[in-house]
């Protein structure tokens, strides 16, 4: 197939016939080319194109400047072939009216976030997979070593760990009976139940409520059991190691206890992800609360059952940290 060079001409808006630049009327159908005395060369700089096979009928050759590409997607004037931006009633070059049905058309861009109920998860921390985006386009999305969102490299993720799904237009996450649970970053102060666990820095804690101290009295032979002095305490925090083993256990001296890296009631100076004063447990009116003290990396509480998610929420699954982005438009 041979290539030859062909000068740019004017395309008739009525029959698409190719005409010379200086033509006033279409040589095929007689339709006025509608240039109103303005040379086409003033709109598009003179240049040549390589077209296939000169023996073929002359085809319409459309060349647009980069700034004209987007408007041309909406409407092209049938008189002078000029792009007309969406919403305009007349062609800006020749004055031809734009049909009413065309003006009323609105361009809908198809995409993953087209539906306002749709959302996506951004992997913030994921062993080399950071920044990966998961678009939640279906009704349900199983996360685990099996399912739709698979993390086969994470040994702390159960086969069916969690499910992200939509209910009444809102995104919800449900723990599917996983071994290690689903953790949500808290905002401010939230209630927390005894025996529930939470994350601060790289530490996992369990909150345990304590009963008042009782004295069982001496043994039958009259000897009292010797032990370290203990004051009455309302609760304690237990550090949890792998395998659900209990590490450090600290009893609250009063009705609250702070956790941090330095200067708190319970300190972890070697934990680089822990803020100086990271979070606080309080007990008042028979209710425990967990408060994040504006920590840099956040405090995460394990959910029970399911939880509705908002834009900007953070979710821990196994060792994967995910940020929730919900389309609010």
């Amino acid at each position: 197939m041979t290539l030859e060079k062909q000068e740019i001409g004017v395309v008739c808006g009525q029959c698409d016939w190719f005409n010379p630049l200086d033509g006033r009327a279409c040589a095929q159908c007689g339709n006025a080319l509608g240039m109103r005395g303005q040379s086409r060369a003033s709109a598009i700089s003179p240049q040549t194109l390589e077209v296939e096979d000169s023996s073929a009928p002359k085809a319409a050759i459309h060349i647009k400047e980069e700034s004209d590409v987007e408007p041309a997607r909406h409407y092209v004037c049938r008189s002078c072939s000029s792009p007309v931006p969406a919403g305009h009633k007349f062609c800006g070059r020749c004055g031809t009216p734009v049909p009413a049905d065309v003006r009323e058309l609105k361009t809908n861009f198809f995409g993953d976030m087209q539906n306002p109920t749709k959302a996506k998860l951004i992997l913030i921390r994921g062993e080399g997979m950071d920044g990966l985006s998961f678009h939640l386009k279906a009704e349900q999305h199983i996360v685990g070593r099996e399912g739709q969102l698979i993390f086969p490299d994470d040994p702390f993720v159960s086969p069916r760990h969690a499910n992200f799904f939509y209910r009444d237009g809102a995104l919800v996450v449900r723990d599917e009976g996983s071994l290690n649970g689903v953790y949500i970053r808290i905002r401010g102060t939230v209630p927390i139940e005894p025996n529930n666990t939470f994350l601060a820095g790289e530490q996992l804690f369990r909150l345990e409520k304590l009963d008042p101290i009782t004295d069982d009295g001496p043994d039958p032979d009259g000897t009292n059991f010797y032990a370290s002095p203990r004051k009455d305490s309302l609760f304690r925090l237990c550090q949890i190691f792998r395998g659900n083993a209990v590490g450090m256990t600290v009893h609250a001296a009063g009705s609250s206890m702070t956790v941090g890296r330095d200067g708190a009631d319970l300190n972890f100076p070697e934990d680089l992800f822990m803020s100086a004063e990271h979070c606080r447990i309080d007990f008042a009116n028979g209710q425990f609360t967990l408060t994040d003290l504006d920590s840099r990396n956040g405090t995460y509480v394990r959910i029970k059952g399911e939880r509705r998610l908002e834009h900007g929420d953070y979710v821990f699954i196994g060792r994967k940290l995910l940020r929730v982005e919900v389309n609010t438009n």
Side-chain angles (χ1 to χ4, degrees):
M1 182 177 291
T2 60
L3 295 175
E4 72 173 24
K5 295 185 177 181
Q6 176 175 313
E7 297 294 335
I8 295 176
V10 179
V11 178
C12 176
Q14 185 70 29
C15 67
D16 288 336
W17 185 261
F18 184 85
N19 296 273
L21 277 173
D22 55 357
R24 296 283 181 174
C26 176
Q28 177 71 11
C29 67
N31 180 57
L33 295 180
M35 297 303 291
R36 297 284 179 92
Q38 183 181 7
S39 171
R40 182 69 171 175
S42 65
I44 301 177
S45 58
Q47 52 187 302
T48 59
L49 290 180
E50 292 183 346
V51 297
E52 296 183 358
D53 199 349
S54 61
S55 63
K58 290 183 174 65
I61 303 174
H62 298 277
I63 299 180
K64 303 292 182 185
E65 296 293 339
E66 187 67 26
S67 60
D68 289 338
V69 172
E70 180 61 29
R73 291 174 182 167
H74 299 291
Y75 178 69
V76 176
C77 177
R78 297 303 297 169
S79 294
C80 67
S81 299
S82 299
V84 181
H88 287 211
K89 295 182 178 181
F90 302 94
C91 173
R93 177 163 293 149
C94 70
T96 300
V98 176
D101 58 340
V102 173
R103 294 200 308 267
E104 293 173 359
L105 289 178
K106 295 182 179 179
T107 302
N108 293 320
F109 293 96
F110 177 80
D112 294 324
M113 301 297 287
Q114 178 75 12
N115 191 322
T117 65
K118 300 302 180 182
K120 61 181 176 180
L121 302 175
I122 308 298
L123 190 60
I124 303 301
R125 193 172 81 182
E127 290 82 32
M129 301 169 63
D130 302 21
L132 206 61
S133 178
F134 302 94
H135 291 238
L136 308 180
K137 298 182 289 185
E139 290 302 313
Q140 300 189 55
H141 312 82
I142 299 296
V143 180
R145 296 203 309 274
E146 305 168 357
Q148 286 76 46
L149 280 66
I150 303 175
F151 297 122
D153 63 320
D154 193 332
F156 303 106
V157 173
S158 297
R160 282 178 61 95
H161 198 110
N163 187 6
F164 289 85
F165 61 94
Y166 296 103
R167 178 188 292 141
D168 300 327
L171 182 64
V172 178
V173 61
R174 181 173 62 224
D175 188 340
E176 294 291 306
S178 65
L179 177 64
N180 293 305
V182 176
Y183 289 81
I184 306 293
R185 183 171 181 170
I186 68 173
R187 304 186 187 199
T189 300
V190 299
I192 183 172
E193 298 285 336
N195 299 317
N196 201 0
T197 55
F198 65 94
L199 288 163
E202 290 193 312
Q203 312 303 319
L204 176 62
F205 300 98
R206 182 171 63 235
L207 170 65
E208 295 184 354
K209 184 178 180 181
L210 297 175
D211 295 324
I213 297 174
T214 59
D215 187 358
D216 294 333
D219 274 1
D221 64 1
T223 306
N224 287 318
F225 183 79
Y226 183 80
S228 298
R230 176 188 168 188
K231 296 181 180 179
D232 275 328
S233 181
L234 297 170
F235 65 93
R236 66 185 178 189
L237 290 181
C238 299
Q239 181 188 27
I240 306 300
F241 290 146
R242 292 185 183 181
N244 205 29
V246 177
M248 185 187 305
T249 299
V250 179
H251 291 239
S255 60
S256 67
M257 181 191 298
T258 56
V259 179
R261 192 182 65 250
D262 183 28
D265 297 319
L266 179 56
N267 298 299
F268 295 86
E270 296 181 357
D271 191 335
L272 300 179
F273 295 92
M274 187 87 71
S275 296
E277 283 196 328
H278 197 103
C279 61
R280 185 182 69 243
I281 290 284
D282 294 288
F283 182 78
N285 301 320
Q287 173 69 54
F288 287 100
T289 56
L290 174 62
T291 302
D292 182 75
L293 301 175
D294 295 325
S295 66
R296 181 173 183 179
N297 292 303
T299 304
Y300 298 77
V301 66
R302 182 170 182 169
I303 69 171
K304 292 186 176 181
E306 61 185 45
R307 178 74 61 87
R308 177 172 173 165
L309 297 172
E310 306 289 343
H311 179 76
D313 278 343
Y314 288 82
V315 183
F316 249 123
I317 294 178
R319 296 297 297 169
K320 300 293 189 292
L321 177 59
L322 301 155
R323 184 178 71 241
V324 177
E325 293 191 359
V326 178
N327 183 20
T328 57
N329 295 330

